[in-house]
């Protein structure tokens, strides 16, 4: 066999199978689903529904029960079967954990800003959502590698305006 006939080793390395990761994911999913189900049962009602009628807790409770059931199924599969191959998943890239941590910090800052609602500055009421949403979009685009300032500004303003007009003005959902 000549050197030209030898296969070239591929640089792609897939992630290794991990049973512990599968179990951890299922446990976290179960914890979130159980928390959601608990919160769904705590929704305050203005008036109790009559027997056989739906109230404000019905659909959130149905979704919570379905989520708990699916999480339990995931946990049983993760415990009883060998870990599936992860050939289609790449290994963690350099800087990936830092980008994930930055994304989490940016999302937390967005929620903290959004919870302010509005502020009064020199007699003018200023809505915080459009400002916070614009900062969220721009900062996430920068974290994930977008560097062209003109498109960064245009995309951020367009998406923020679209969300604000559709949900805040047309649907009258308080943002």
């Amino acid at each position: 066999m000549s050197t030209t006939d030898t296969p070239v080793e591929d640089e792609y390395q897939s992630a290794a199978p991990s049973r512990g990761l599968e179990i951890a994911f299922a446990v976290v999913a179960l914890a979130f689903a159980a928390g959601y189900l608990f919160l769904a049962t705590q929704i305050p009602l203005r008036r109790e529904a009559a027997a056989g009628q739906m109230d404000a807790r019905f659909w959130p409770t149905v979704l919570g029960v379905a989520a708990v059931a699916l999480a339990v199924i995931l946990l049983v599969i993760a415990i009883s079967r060998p870990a599936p191959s992860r050939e289609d998943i790449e290994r963690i890239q350099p800087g990936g954990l830092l980008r994930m941590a930055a994304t989490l910090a940016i999302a937390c800052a967005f929620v903290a800003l959004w919870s302010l609602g509005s502020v009064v500055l020199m007699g003018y009421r200023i809505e915080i959502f459009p400002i916070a949403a614009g900062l969220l979009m721009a900062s996430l685009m920068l974290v994930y590698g977008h560097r062209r300032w003109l498109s960064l500004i245009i995309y951020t303003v367009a998406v923020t305006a679209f969300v604000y007009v559709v949900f805040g003005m047309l649907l009258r959902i308080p943002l």
Side-chain angles (χ1 to χ4, degrees):
M1 192 184 248
S2 69
T3 57
T4 58
D5 294 337
T6 59
V8 177
E9 189 160 324
D10 192 9
E11 292 182 17
Y12 176 79
Q13 293 181 353
S14 64
S18 173
R19 181 180 218 154
L21 184 63
E22 298 291 326
I23 292 172
F25 176 79
V27 168
V28 169
L30 182 60
F32 274 108
Y36 176 84
L37 181 59
F38 172 75
L39 291 174
T41 61
Q42 303 302 311
I43 294 174
L45 300 175
R46 291 185 201 164
R47 177 178 58 158
E48 289 291 328
Q53 291 185 340
M54 293 189 293
D55 57 13
R57 292 181 188 155
F58 180 75
W59 284 113
T61 304
V62 167
L63 290 175
V65 168
V68 167
L70 288 173
V72 167
I73 291 169
L74 274 176
L75 186 58
V76 167
I77 290 171
I79 290 172
S80 65
R81 292 188 181 166
S85 69
R86 297 169 53 195
E87 295 169 354
D88 57 336
I89 301 174
E90 292 184 22
R91 290 190 175 275
I92 295 175
Q93 299 297 315
L97 292 175
L98 181 62
R99 278 193 301 272
M100 183 192 67
T103 301
L104 186 60
I106 290 167
C108 289
F110 171 71
V111 170
L113 275 175
W114 189 8
S115 66
L116 293 176
S118 63
V119 294
V120 176
L121 188 62
M122 296 188 301
Y124 293 101
R125 187 173 142 253
I126 300 171
E127 291 289 326
I128 295 295
F129 176 79
I131 297 167
L135 290 173
L136 170 78
M137 291 292 301
S139 57
L140 285 178
M141 288 174 70
L142 286 172
V143 165
Y144 287 96
H146 190 82
R147 298 290 182 254
R148 294 191 58 216
W149 286 100
L150 183 61
S151 61
L152 178 81
I153 291 169
I154 291 171
Y155 185 75
T156 299
V157 169
V159 169
T160 302
F162 176 77
V163 169
Y164 186 72
V165 167
V166 168
F167 292 100
M169 297 174 128
L170 295 176
L171 297 175
R172 299 194 187 280
I173 296 172
L175 299 173

